[in-house]
């Protein structure tokens, strides 16, 4: 494998993602779509062909000029497995080199069980036995918490009740394949950069709303991790004095006000839904025009808008992407969010584009798999030794 340097890793990732999404493509079309010079595209495609990731196909039909040679993905280059770890279930996917999901599975899981890691291992063993379509390059694990380094994979998570949990070392020993572990929102940000709405942007803010509130901050094409992998924990921005207790132990955090459990609690306390009802009931009442349900979401949108305005004023992204389970109810958040958000932005940032994505649970796991797919282009060395092992597997096909 050729070694990454500078920011060409981002462009090479974009080349693979573009061909994966659109099919065989010419070098000229890649240069046009990705807004980079034809000379750079030629250089990077030559490297990708040498690395066994792209292959030259037939010529495209000519319109009178010289016909262009099409490029396609090397379909047998390998697959990656991604896992979303939640407190009560696992979502596992196998993806191809282009990030597309080939198969998926969901299994019950108890993060509080003393055998949580052995149980996770067994679930992965069963999934791997499903005969991946190509060589398995590695496994990505996305968790709702802080991870010291992707390559080490030591997890601290209040949602899972884990403290210094050695997820990466345990899985590597048991499965004998490269394993990368990352905060699940950071993993989503990687996926967005490779395959989603953040493609083509050097600086993006990826925000998830749902059980928790989190953010992946993409700066100069790279996900910002912070000192111990905890950057982007916007759910713990304090928004009130002496407010509701957050799972982190503090009071008045944004997540304690607008996370899924908080919204359900507010709706129950106001008599909007019954004591046994949950988020689907609250969303349905809002969809049907229920004033109380809509007020719950409107207040959440206002608080989120104010908080994100501060984040945007600080990190200066080119685009804001909102996704997560809570995005299913976004139309009930959006009006109050937009008003509060735009009002608090600095004038130069008030035209910031916002993309809201529809949501499927396996998107978390797809994001985790993207940790593996991104390793050949890891100029910052975030994947460490595990990234080298993934590149070795690609080179040894």
């Amino acid at each position: 494998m050729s070694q990454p340097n500078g920011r060409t890793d981002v462009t090479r990732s974009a080349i693979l993602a573009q061909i994966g999404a659109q099919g065989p493509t010419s070098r000229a079309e890649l240069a046009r779509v990705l807004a980079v010079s034809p000379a750079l595209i030629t250089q990077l495609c030559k490297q990708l062909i040498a690395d066994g990731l792209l292959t030259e196909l037939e010529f495209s039909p000519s319109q009178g000029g010289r016909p262009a040679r099409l490029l396609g993905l090397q379909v047998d280059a390998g697959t990656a497995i991604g896992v979303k770890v939640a407190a009560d279930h696992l979502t596992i996917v196998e993806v191809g080199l282009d990030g597309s999901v080939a198969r998926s599975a969901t299994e019950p899981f108890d993060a509080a069980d003393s055998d949580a890691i052995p149980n996770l291992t067994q679930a992965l063993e069963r999934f791997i036995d499903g005969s991946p379509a190509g060589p398995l390059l590695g496994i990505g694990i996305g968790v709702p918490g802080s991870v010291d380094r992707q390559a080490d994979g030591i997890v601290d998570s209040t949602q899972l009740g884990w403290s210094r949990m050695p997820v990466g070392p345990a899985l590597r020993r048991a499965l004998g394949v490269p394993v990368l572990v990352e905060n699940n929102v950071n993993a989503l940000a990687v996926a967005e950069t490779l395959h989603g709405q953040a493609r083509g942007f050097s600086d993006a803010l990826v925000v998830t709303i749902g059980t928790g509130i989190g953010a992946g901050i993409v700066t100069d094409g790279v996900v910002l991790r912070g000192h111990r992998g905890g950057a982007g924990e916007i759910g713990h921005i304090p928004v009130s004095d002496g407010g509701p207790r957050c799972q982190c132990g503090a009071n008045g955090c944004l997540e304690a006000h607008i996370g899924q459990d908080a919204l359900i609690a507010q709706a129950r306390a106001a008599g909007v839904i019954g004591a046994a009802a949950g988020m689907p009931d609250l969303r349905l009442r809002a969809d049907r025009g229920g004033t109380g349900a809509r007020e719950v979401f409107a207040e959440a949108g206002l608080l989120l808008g104010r908080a994100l305005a501060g984040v945007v004023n600080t990190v200066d992204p080119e685009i804001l992407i909102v996704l997560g389970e809570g995005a299913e109810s976004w139309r009930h958040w959006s009006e109050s969010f937009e008003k509060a958000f735009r009002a608090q932005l600095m004038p130069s940032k008030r035209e910031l584009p916002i993309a809201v994505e529809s949501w499927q649970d396996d998107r978390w796991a797809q994001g985790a798999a993207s940790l593996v797919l991104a390793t050949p282009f890891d100029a910052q060395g975030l994947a460490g030794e595990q990234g080298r092992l993934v590149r070795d597997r690609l080179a040894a096909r």
Side-chain angles (χ1 to χ4, degrees):
M1 298 290 293
S2 59
Q3 293 302 307
N5 59 84
R7 290 183 56 207
T8 59
D9 57 332
V10 176
T11 304
R12 287 189 287 186
S13 299
I15 290 171
L16 295 182
Q18 177 66 21
I19 294 176
Q22 304 300 326
T25 306
S26 69
R27 292 170 176 82
E29 179 65 7
L30 287 170
R32 185 188 69 80
V33 171
L34 301 179
V36 297
S37 72
L40 179 59
I41 287 292
T42 297
Q43 172 194 344
L44 297 182
C45 288
K46 181 178 180 180
Q47 294 172 359
L48 289 167
I49 291 170
D51 291 344
L53 301 177
L54 291 183
T55 185
E56 290 192 313
L57 303 173
E58 72 280 2
F59 288 99
S60 63
S62 173
Q63 302 297 322
R66 181 180 178 182
R69 173 78 77 173
L70 297 181
L71 297 170
L73 292 178
Q74 187 68 41
V75 294
D76 62 349
T79 65
I81 288 174
V83 186
K84 170 208 174 183
V85 180
D88 60 355
H89 72 280
L90 303 171
T91 302
I92 311 174
V93 300
E94 176 194 346
V95 305
L97 193 63
D98 62 348
S100 61
V101 176
R103 61 192 179 105
S104 63
T106 300
E107 294 206 14
F109 180 70
D110 183 1
D113 193 315
S114 59
D115 288 328
I117 298 304
N119 292 340
L120 172 59
T121 302
Q122 291 169 15
L124 279 166
E125 288 173 337
R126 289 191 294 271
F127 191 80
I128 292 170
D129 285 343
S131 300
L136 178 58
L137 303 177
I139 297 173
I141 309 291
V143 296
S146 297
V147 182
D148 56 350
R149 287 188 293 260
Q150 289 182 8
D152 293 345
I154 308 300
V155 177
D156 290 300
S157 172
T158 55
Q159 284 191 35
L160 301 179
W162 290 357
S163 177
R164 309 303 295 164
M165 184 70 82
V167 177
L171 292 179
R172 285 192 285 272
R173 284 194 303 269
L175 301 175
V177 297
V179 176
L180 293 160
V181 186
E182 181 60 282
N183 169 271
N184 52 16
V185 185
N186 283 347
L188 272 179
V190 173
E192 286 296 316
T193 300
L194 292 180
H195 313 293
Q197 299 275 3
R199 281 173 54 192
F201 294 97
S202 296
D203 301 276
L205 180 62
V206 179
V207 174
T208 59
I209 58 175
T211 304
I213 310 296
I217 303 168
V218 181
T219 301
D220 201 22
V222 178
V223 177
L224 180 67
R225 302 191 76 254
H227 175 54
R228 292 185 58 189
E233 290 283 4
I234 63 169
H236 302 289
I237 294 174
V239 296
S240 68
D241 293 326
R245 191 77 165 175
C246 182
Q247 63 180 356
C248 74
N251 291 89
C253 292
L254 179 66
E255 187 173 298
H257 281 277
I258 68 170
Q260 178 173 288
D261 289 346
L263 298 185
I264 293 170
Q266 292 166 26
R268 289 174 178 171
V272 173
I273 57 175
M279 183 54 68
D281 304 281
L282 179 60
R283 184 168 57 247
L284 180 60
R285 286 187 176 273
D287 290 343
R288 291 177 173 175
T291 302
R294 290 190 170 186
E295 286 176 351
V296 170
F297 288 120
E299 178 65 19
L302 185 150
L303 290 175
L304 181 66
R306 288 175 178 168
L308 287 190
V311 177
V312 166
N313 286 336
T314 302
V315 302
D316 193 24
E318 298 172 85
I319 186 171
L320 168 63
I321 301 166
V322 179
L323 67 169
E325 303 94 332
E328 293 181 279
S329 308
W330 183 253
R331 67 191 186 99
H332 303 305
W333 295 59
S334 60
E335 183 177 354
S336 60
F337 172 84
E338 280 280 352
K339 184 176 181 180
F341 179 66
R342 302 292 179 186
Q344 297 296 325
L345 287 176
M346 296 171 62
S348 62
K349 306 180 193 301
R350 286 181 185 157
E351 300 304 315
L352 179 76
I354 300 174
V356 181
E357 292 194 6
S358 59
W359 184 253
Q360 294 180 335
D361 194 51
D362 63 7
R363 190 79 169 106
W364 290 110
Q366 188 181 19
S370 294
L371 300 173
V372 176
L373 300 180
T375 56
F377 320 104
D378 178 22
Q380 289 70 38
L382 295 177
E385 176 67 7
Q386 297 305 298
R388 184 190 67 78
L389 292 174
V390 172
R391 290 191 288 272
D392 287 349
R393 284 180 172 237
L394 269 171
R397 287 180 305 97

